[in-house]
Amino acid sequence: MLRRFLPFRIPHSALRTALACGLWLAACGLAACSRPRAPQAWQPREFLIALRGAPPPKPALYAQIAQAGFNVVAEGVGSDALDLAHRYRLKVILGQIGLDARTLSNPADQRSVADAIRRFDSHPALWGYFVGDEALEGQLADLAALAEFARRHDPTHPVFLSLLPCDAWVGPALATADYAGYVERFIREARPSLLNFGHFPFREKGDSEFYFENLELIRRAALGHGLPFYPTLQAASWPGMRPPTEGEMRWLVYTALAYGAKGVVWFRYWGAPAGSREGIVEPDGLLTERYRIVADLNADLRALGPVVLPLRSAAVYHTGPTPVGATRLPVHGLVGSVEGGGFVVGELEDAAGGKHVLVVNRDAARATTVRLTLNRPCKGHAWFDPAARAWAPQAAAVDRFQSVAEFSLPPGGGRLLRLGEAAK
């Protein structure tokens, strides 16, 4: 039948061969479709602005989450929240489907969880799977098995599994003082798609001195393994921890960006652990002052996120007294000096090698005027204005050897600059 519609003659033997090849290729295609999907390297397409401590899945409460600028709901979220989250253009890091250590010890439980993953893996509100929090050294093997189980049944969505902070080795938690080694073992065993950790520095009896060390160690591990990292930021108080001020919460956001974070996770949104009422939103639904602060900072992140997401962290330096684990600004680097107080200076690069500098006011209590000196005579600097969601010209005085820019920063605030071309 095929031959009568062709404008030329085909020998019977050639026609039979072509038909056989076509049938064989079709069969191969069907077989390929029926095979399990191969794992793929996951990379974020959107800057993460997540919360931990989800409220009950009710429309009014999820509307408040969306209004505050979040895009992902994590921890304590079941499948009953997926449709509601999608209504408000939110995504969910899904838990409460049995992804825990006991699952792998019972074949019936394994089948039940695998069925749940198959039911929800194509839901448009699914971001990933919540597997574990603050992995202890002795739990790595079990958590790695859980992560592999989730990946095997859904290779397209990441697994969310958090690390302990660097000062958790005081005591039996890590059973080692080698935090960098702990992170490497975590990456080797769990094979994560991302790194998440919580270092809560604001304490009732003396703030943590290891905050910047934690950021630097995670930054290095993330760069070394090609992983995005998301710090969990303190937005609440609980026994032993004091509530952060507005300047301190801004300081958490901008120092994370200076170190190359590709998203943030706020802790805690709904209520708080251990009976405290110091969440962003109280258990009775009352919005606290922290809700307004977080909403304002999330608005900045919504604007800055797409800009910093493709940038690569090249270096991070400090001026003034150098914190534990930090690197002092060198004399002959790209940035010659930053005057006006103590600062964090994050150097970032785009795919074409274009230079960016994020300057952060390390003083979370006082505003300051910055005098930034670059050891290159550049013209055409720009700074990113989150309120306008656009680049704006950055005034600078340029001579034969340097360019100098001045601008103001609020307590704990930062400014991202895109450096111009060398003056000719």
Side-chain angles (χ1 to χ4, degrees), residues 4-367:
R4 74 175 62 177
F5 297 105
L6 295 175
F8 50 87
R9 294 179 60 83
I10 301 178
H12 285 286
S13 58
L15 183 61
R16 284 196 301 268
T17 301
L19 288 172
C21 289
L23 291 172
W24 180 81
L25 289 170
C28 289
L30 290 173
C33 290
S34 64
R35 289 197 299 268
R37 292 169 293 172
Q40 299 176 352
W42 178 85
Q43 289 296 325
R45 298 180 180 178
E46 185 178 18
F47 190 90
L48 181 76
I49 310 173
L51 62 87
R52 288 192 56 181
K58 298 179 179 180
L61 300 178
Y62 270 56
Q64 289 176 346
I65 292 174
Q67 289 164 5
F70 292 96
N71 55 26
V72 173
V73 183
E75 189 197 19
V77 190
S79 58
D80 57 340
L82 285 167
D83 290 343
L84 183 61
H86 184 55
R87 183 192 308 177
Y88 292 100
R89 298 184 179 181
L90 298 165
K91 290 188 180 292
V92 165
I93 301 179
L94 189 62
Q96 300 182 356
I97 59 170
L99 269 173
D100 55 53
R102 290 171 295 182
T103 298
L104 300 185
S105 63
N106 187 315
D109 289 343
Q110 290 185 39
R111 288 192 295 272
S112 176
V113 175
D115 288 343
I117 291 175
R118 279 192 291 272
R119 285 199 306 275
F120 306 124
D121 65 1
S122 60
H123 197 288
L126 179 65
W127 190 92
Y129 302 95
F130 194 94
V131 170
D133 184 29
E134 295 191 331
L136 301 178
E137 186 84 33
Q139 297 175 326
L140 289 183
D142 288 341
L143 290 171
L146 277 174
E148 180 59 29
F149 181 87
R151 275 194 299 269
R152 188 166 66 250
H153 290 91
D154 181 0
T156 62
H157 292 95
V159 170
F160 191 93
L161 174 60
S162 73
L163 289 152
L164 284 160
C166 70
D167 54 358
W169 63 267
V170 180
L174 294 181
T176 174
D178 178 20
Y179 184 75
Y182 158 74
V183 174
E184 287 297 318
R185 289 188 291 277
F186 173 86
I187 293 171
R188 183 175 63 249
E189 294 193 34
R191 298 194 298 116
S193 299
L194 57 96
L195 297 178
N196 169 256
F197 69 103
H199 191 128
F200 307 126
F202 305 121
R203 303 176 180 180
E204 291 176 354
K205 296 182 178 179
D207 294 343
S208 173
E209 62 179 316
F210 299 106
Y211 172 78
F212 287 110
E213 180 175 41
N214 213 150
L215 275 174
E216 178 61 19
L217 289 170
I218 293 293
R219 184 186 81 92
R220 292 179 188 176
L223 288 172
H225 293 275
L227 300 172
F229 80 87
Y230 309 130
T232 299
L233 310 183
Q234 183 179 349
S237 68
W238 55 93
M241 311 299 291
R242 65 174 178 81
T245 66
E246 180 172 357
E248 287 169 338
M249 293 169 74
R250 187 183 300 113
W251 179 88
L252 289 170
V253 165
Y254 279 94
T255 53
L257 294 180
Y259 275 80
K262 302 305 180 186
V264 301
V265 183
W266 288 105
F267 183 86
R268 174 175 178 101
Y269 184 82
W270 184 257
S276 172
R277 292 177 58 83
E278 291 291 339
I280 297 171
V281 179
E282 302 294 8
D284 55 9
L286 177 68
L287 302 184
T288 69
E289 174 63 11
R290 286 176 300 283
Y291 179 90
R292 192 271 306 166
I293 295 169
V294 168
D296 288 346
L297 291 171
N298 285 352
D300 283 0
L301 290 171
R302 285 274 189 173
L304 277 164
V307 178
V308 301
L309 192 63
L311 301 182
R312 182 182 184 275
S313 175
V316 184
Y317 301 115
H318 287 245
T319 70
T322 307
V324 174
T327 302
R328 187 171 182 81
L329 184 71
V331 176
H332 302 297
L334 171 63
V335 177
S337 65
V338 191
E339 302 171 51
F343 299 95
V344 183
V345 181
E347 296 184 6
L348 307 160
E349 295 179 349
D350 60 28
K355 305 294 184 183
H356 298 68
V357 173
L358 180 55
V359 181
V360 182
N361 181 7
R362 218 171 61 207
D363 191 331
R366 287 180 290 275

